[in-house]
Every structure is written in structure tokens, then in C-alpha cells.
Amino acid sequence: MSDALTRPADAGTAAPPKPNAVVAVLALAGIVVSLMQTLVIPIVPELPTLLHASASNTAWAVTATLLAAAVATPVVGRLGDMIGKRRMLLVSIVLLVSGSVVCALADSLVPMIIGRTLQGLAAAVVPLGISIMRDALPAERLAQSTALMSASLGVGGALGLPAAAFIADKWDWHILFWTSAALGAVAFALVLMIVPESKVRTGGRFDLAGALGLSAGLVSLLLAVSKGGDWGWTSGATLGLGAAAVVILLGWGFWELKARQPLVDLRTTAKPQVLFTNLASVALGFSMFAMSLVLPQLLQLPTQTGYGLGKSMLTVGLVLAPQGLVMMVMSAASAKVTQAKGPKVTLLIGALIVASGYALNIVLMSEVWHLILVSCIIGAGVGFTYGALPALIMGAVDPSQTGAANSLNTLMRSLGTSFASALAGVILAQMTTDFGGHALPSENGFKVVMAIGAGAALLAFLVASFIPRRQTPAAAETEADEQPEAVTAKA
């Protein structure tokens, strides 16, 4: 199948009654989910006091969300392909609202972790939304709409940080989660009223063993990566979990290759277009998260260090907010490039823009406007890459597999961000400067992380260059005609 986006022939020829409304509602749902991920950032330093627990224990309020999202994304994507993408989208939003309410009522650690876990289980909203668009929208609207939906992750994160910082500064911190619950309820109602259910289904039996195996492997891997800095990278717990992850994931892969109806079709993921897109996604996830680690610290460190800018968390959010608007604008531009040149070219352009942003940040980091400029350049690159990734994935898989395929690609980006967090944490912990008896990350430490971010973006460019070149329309049409028809069922 070509890398051009095509609608399934059996999805019906009539356009949905309100395509603009469908796109807007799905993008809103994506933004609400991404808001959830940044919601807790302004209060992380205060969580030990707010929840009456140690800093190491309250860190689980962040780690639990990461683990839940990693487990839920591929599982929910597969269930969406089987029993209905809109149905699983609604389930995911219900989990988000439920988790937000639990957190809003929490005054201790355990309820907070439970609530944040439930919120993390909603992470599949964006890949599900992209898959619904493929099934529901007219072909000429698809590239731009999926680019906007994919970019909603970055948009929500960039816009959510200043809003969350403002709310946490002015009101009780519980309001953060009541706000999340309210936005989730609005998204649920709008999806229920406006978004149609896709008729493209695979049916079949759910691969429970595959789901349990993948979950166990991912949890082991991400625990080792995310907690290795606290536990020690050579500690028994870290090494044991890392070894367990390798063994479990190898066994899981063997099982999936033998399963009649696997959770993840590894043969499909081995197609060059899917394989190299997913590998590039890991590198891009790594690169894009490096900025989230560096820029806030540079803005908040004391000016007496000589490189810190001494700003508040609210200012940090305001500095990063334009990035979200740039992502939204560039998602439309990326769609035009994709339609003209193909998503591979779009991805290559985006990777180079991200790399140039980091390179510029190495020499421009002493003024607030420097960081605004850098974040906008990187945001522009993210807008391009986020628009290209789903186009490449959906151009290479059968329509009945889009939920699982998009979810796996989202998981690859998440793995990249986890590795970035771990590596950057090690670098900034080792490259320090003394400030009043306290060890703070040094200026060179930040520059090293930015250089690694640029290198990761260039690695993504290199990997993406191996994606097969775009087929001619005639060849693509011929290959599409040879694909087996998707199993359909009434919504």
C-alpha cells in the first residue's frame, strides 16, 4: 500500500454530515488528554507537602500515568479495531474523567496514584481519533485533519502548562483536576453527539495473553528507565527489571508471531514503511522531550548562576505557550507538503527543523526571547513530524488495523520520551555546578542535552530516509485494489 492516505472502499461513499465538527471535536479530545499530562507539573515540587508523603513516593503520581499510558495505548487501539473506535474513545474519556475526579477528591498519596493511573489509561484518545478520521472523512480532508489531531498532543501540552500554573498559583490545587474532569465531560458529550462510529472492524477474539505479556514487558522496561536514577543504574532492581523486560518482550514477540489473531501484527510492523516510521518516532520522541527538560530549568534557575533567568513557573508556561500555536499552524502546512510531496518528505523536513532549533539553542540561551524563539522553531518541526507520522502509518496498513498501528506508533514516541528523561537526568546530575552549597545542573550540562536532542533529530532524519519512496498514484491504486476488504459491522 502506498504512503498516501486513502479511505477504505467499504466505509461508504457519503461524507459525514459535519466533517468540520468531527475534526474539531476529535482535536478537542486530544487536547484535553494532553492537558492531563501537563496538569500536575506546576505542583510536583509541592506534592510531598500536599500529600503528606516523601518526594520519592509522590514521584509515583507521574510514573503511574506513564506506565498506564504505555499499557493502555496498544491494548485500547486493538480493541478499537475490533469492537469500534468511537466506543473505545468514549471509554477512554470516561477513564480520564473518573481519574480526574479521584485526584480532585484526593488528599493523600494512594488516591492520587489511583487517579493518575486512570488518567493515563486515556492516552489512546489521539491514535483512536486519527483512525476514526481515516474511516469517516473524505479523502481530501484527511491529511490536514490527521495532522491537526496528531499535533493536538503538543498543542495541549504547550497551552496547558501556563493555564495549570495560573490555576495552581491562584486557587486550591484540587481545581486543576476539577477543571480536567469538566473538560473531559464536555469532550465526552461532544463525541457522543457528533462523532460517527466507524463500520470498519476486524472482529475476532482479543489476544489476552499478548496484552498481558506486552504490559508486563513495558512496565518492567519503563520502571527500569524511569526509576533507575533513583534506585541506581547498577542496582539489583534496575538491572533485574531491565533483564525481565528483555526476556518478557522476546517471549511476547514469539507468541505474537504464532497467534492467529495477535494483539500487534508484527509482520505488518516489519514492513519497511511501518518499521522505519516507528524507529524514527522513537528518535523524535527522544529529541522533542529534551526541550521540555531543558527550557523550564533554564528559565527557573537563579540569575546568580550566570545562565539561569530566575522566572516563575507561570512565566515558564507563558514562554512555552506560543510553541503550541506554532504546532497548530504548522500542522496545516505539513498537510500541504504531504499532499504535494508525500509524508516522507514532510517527516524529513520536520526532523531537520527540530535539529536546527536545538543547535540554535546551544548558542542562544541567555534571554527569554531566545528561548521563545527556540521553542517555536522546535514546535514548528514537531508540527511537521506529528502530521507526517500517522500519514505514513495509515498509508502502509490495512484500514482494519489503523487503531492498533497508530497506537503502536504513539507508544514508540512515548518510549523515546522516557529514554530522553532518563539520559538527560543522568547528564544533568553528573554535570553540575555548586551554588550556595547546592549542586545545580551546569550550563555545559544543558548544552550537552541540547546537542543530544539535535543528534536524536538527525538520527530520526537518517532513519526516515530509509522509508520507501512514494509510489506513483497508479501503482498505489493497483496495490490498494489487491488488499483484502476489511470486515465491516454495524456501529
Side-chain angles (χ1 to χ4, degrees), residues 426-444:
V426 171
I427 292 172
L428 296 179
Q430 295 298 319
M431 301 183 70
T432 61
T433 184
D434 182 74
F435 181 75
H438 298 281
L440 297 179
S442 67
E443 182 178 12
N444 285 334

Side-chain angles (χ1 to χ4, degrees), residues 245-266:
V246 172
V247 172
I248 293 172
L249 291 175
L250 286 174
W252 170 79
F254 181 74
W255 169 268
E256 293 296 282
L257 289 172
K258 292 180 60 179
R260 185 172 299 177
Q261 294 177 320
L263 177 74
V264 177
D265 188 343
L266 294 181

Side-chain angles (χ1 to χ4, degrees), residues 81-84 197-203 400 486-491:
D81 286 336
M82 290 177 60
I83 64 176
E197 177 62 274
S198 168
K199 294 183 179 180
V200 182
R201 310 273 183 87
T202 61
S400 63
V487 179
T488 62
K490 283 190 176 182

